[in-house]
Amino acid sequence: MTAPLLEIEDLYAGVDGKEIIKGFNLTINAGEIHAIMGPNGAGKSTLSNVLCGKPGYYVTSGNVRFKGRDLLKLSPEERACEGLFLSMQYPVEIPGVPITSFLKHAVNAIRSYKGEPELDTMEFIKMVKAEGKKLGLDNEMIKRAVNVGFSGGEKKRLETLQMSVLKPSLAILDEADSGLDIDALRVVAEGVNALHNENNALLVITHYQRLLNHIVPDFVHVYADGKIVKTGDKTLALELEEKGYAGFVKEK
Amino acid sequence: MDGLIQDIKLIGEEIPWLKEIRAKGRNAFIKQGIPTPKTEAWKYTKPNRFFETPFSYTPSNLISISSNIKLPFDCYQINFTNGVFNPFTSSLPQGIEVMPIIEAIMFTPKVREKISNIAKVDENPFVALNTGYLNEGVYIHISSNVDIKKPLTIVYETLCTDRNDMYNLRNLIHVEKNSSVQIVEAFYYEGKVKSSYFMNVVNEIYLEENSHLRHYKLQDEAFKSAHIAFNAVKVEDNASYKSFCLQKGADMARNESYVELSEKGAHATVDSAYIMNGWATIDTTTNINHLKPYTTSSQLVKGVVGGQAKGVFQGKIHISPNAVKTEGYQLHKAMLLTDDAEVDVKPELEIFADDVKCSHGSACGELDKEQLFYMQSRGISEDEAKQMLIEAYLNDVIAKVDDEKIIEWIKLSLNSNKSE
């Protein structure tokens, strides 16, 4: 039995002087898909930002281990190099930085961290174009600057493209379905599913059950007021869809 | 001013008119003196602090010449080493002529008339000083009706010495009608920086009817040096002057462009970028004069300032009373990387004509933290991400350069960090 991929123990964390995560516990093993569902304002995005080390977010107590290492001691780029990936809810636009050059820098940074040689540029661009095509991002879009002029749905496709190029061990999808129509949702979900295998894991953060029809979780956690209040299998998501969060939030 | 004016024997000292040109320069310099913080045109840059160190003119026999700088693009290359012109090696095509300035003015009266014609000694003390030492530099002449494809590059290399040297270089560029040419200037240094030096360059540029000059410059001087350049340009009927200057070196630097759009349809593009750290002051000053109708100008200046450095932009657009149907645009943007970084901006519009289109703008910002985090969250280190964002920020002004190879060279120069 190998060590878990991610272990979060009794985590307390917040932002702007406000404690938002209060006693959070979660263990994710390789090969698993976890879903965290919760109402608006429960602190779902705070959790993903804390895990990725976004400046401004602080941890007051608790432990987070990623592949056995103390995650909280690592810089955001070290976390990424170790294999953590966040598909962001609101990906930022970066004018003047082309997608291909951005991805090439990212891939080579991760390869160099692992002591691997840099990739050949031509091969790399070919690979990015092929992956992009699968996600409905044509060559013209790949040539553009990162997220500049992209619709909400296109941004989510580009997040998924980055994930498929960077091949993380743990991908956190923060509201990966927001801004997506039914067809785009299917494309993104297929992209994510194609990457999932027994060596990596997914943490899907969402309001709605609909994404979980496409990315089927092994575990569903209800997250309210800074911690997990109930854990079940995929049927819990259906129950939530039917009854709403009100019942669970009261349980605390 | 100690030491700046020395009684040194220069070539042609026995020729009365040449002696007079120099004397006028020296006298005008003594009269104006080194600018102080009270001198309006220099109030932000304050060059006086730099001249507390005495500088001296170094006779060329003290200078050992050896240069092996080769720029990464195909060009005709001229070299100056420590202010001294190296004998020209590569052959030039038909229609382009390069010779030492002193030879050109001594033997060609038509060239002589052009000296100090637009770069006036009584309006700028450093132009005056430069004229006082009129001796080194080149005369570049382009005949009419030629299109020179390969750029002509002037490399100014300073091999650091233990003296505080002063170099006064004077170039005169004359493009006759219907011709076009690209001129690149690159200022570099070599060796360990032991002392300070002062590079003082004046370019007088005459563009005849329907001629086109693209003028690109890299200023990458040693971190203890001063660099002051004055580019005086006269643009005639339907001629165009398009320039871009990247300044990243020196302790105190100014690149000044004085442009006269002197006939109908004349155009000037005067773009710049500056990137700096430490305690440097880098100044970009422009003075664009629309003297006739249907003249157009455009300026885009972008800077990135870190450390405790200071960026200065002074941009003036002047439109004369009869210069109707003219257009003049100016935009300055700066990114401050630290709390101690500073930018001083003085835009000026002087419009004496109706029916003109003019605008100016200035904006200041900092690195976008969301963008930085996004890049880091993909594995890119903070330093590399910053460098990518800085390059992206300067990308639009650099991309205005017409030549892909030169763009590549400028981007490469942006990231070379010898002057740290």
Side-chain angles (χ1 to χ4, degrees), chain B residues 229-397:
Chain B
F230 189 79
N231 302 285
V233 192
K234 187 171 184 176
V235 192
E236 296 184 346
D237 297 68
N238 298 312
S240 70
Y241 173 70
K242 289 188 179 176
S243 67
F244 171 78
C245 171
L246 170 65
Q247 294 204 79
K248 58 171 296 203
D251 179 33
M252 189 269 294
R254 169 182 281 196
N255 187 62
E256 182 165 359
S257 304
Y258 169 85
V259 180
E260 287 182 2
L261 299 169
S262 64
E263 298 295 341
K264 268 188 195 169
H267 172 81
T269 295
V270 181
D271 294 336
S272 306
Y274 56 88
I275 176 164
M276 55 209 284
N277 270 306
W279 290 266
T281 298
I282 291 182
D283 172 331
T284 302
T285 294
T286 64
N287 188 345
I288 314 292
N289 294 274
H290 293 256
L291 305 176
K292 288 287 162 68
Y294 300 100
T295 50
T296 51
S297 72
S298 139
Q299 301 170 61
L300 177 60
V301 178
K302 291 184 92 170
V304 177
V305 188
Q308 303 182 45
K310 177 157 89 167
V312 176
F313 174 66
Q314 309 185 104
K316 187 170 174 181
I317 301 175
H318 167 91
I319 297 183
S320 292
N322 62 341
V324 295
K325 308 277 184 194
T326 55
E327 290 180 24
Y329 301 106
Q330 180 193 94
L331 180 62
H332 171 262
K333 286 174 111 175
M335 184 193 271
L336 301 178
L337 300 178
T338 58
D339 290 344
D340 292 327
E342 180 182 330
V343 175
D344 295 303
V345 182
K346 187 173 78 173
E348 282 179 281
L349 293 182
E350 280 181 355
I351 303 176
F352 296 106
D354 293 329
D355 197 12
V356 300
K357 281 186 198 162
C358 266
S359 70
H360 70 87
S362 187
C364 219
E366 51 189 41
L367 269 181
D368 187 311
K369 292 192 173 67
E370 293 288 329
Q371 291 175 347
L372 201 58
F373 172 66
Y374 189 80
M375 296 174 91
Q376 286 176 267
S377 80
R378 299 304 184 243
I380 301 171
S381 73
E382 190 178 346
D383 285 348
E384 195 180 354
K386 278 184 182 168
Q387 199 178 329
M388 287 171 76
L389 290 173
I390 288 168
E391 194 178 317
Y393 181 75
L394 297 177
N395 189 49
D396 56 349
V397 65

Side-chain angles (χ1 to χ4, degrees), chain A residues 204-219:
Chain A
V204 184
I205 297 175
T206 182
H207 289 317
Y208 301 109
Q209 187 269 336
R210 64 170 194 168
L211 178 64
L212 305 180
N213 288 332
H214 300 277
I215 303 173
V216 182
D218 302 303
F219 302 94

Side-chain angles (χ1 to χ4, degrees), chain A residues 14 29 45 54 57 71 86 108 146 148 159 167 180 201 206 213 225:
Chain A
N29 294 298
S45 287
K54 186 167 187 175
Y57 289 81
L71 185 74
L86 172 61
N108 283 334
V146 177
V148 174
E159 293 293 284
K167 299 192 170 47
L180 294 185
T206 182
N213 288 332
D225 195 29

Side-chain angles (χ1 to χ4, degrees), chain A residues 155-167:
Chain A
K155 285 180 182 169
K156 292 298 159 77
R157 290 170 199 236
L158 181 57
E159 293 293 284
T160 313
L161 172 61
Q162 293 178 40
M163 187 176 150
S164 64
V165 171
L166 301 178
K167 299 192 170 47

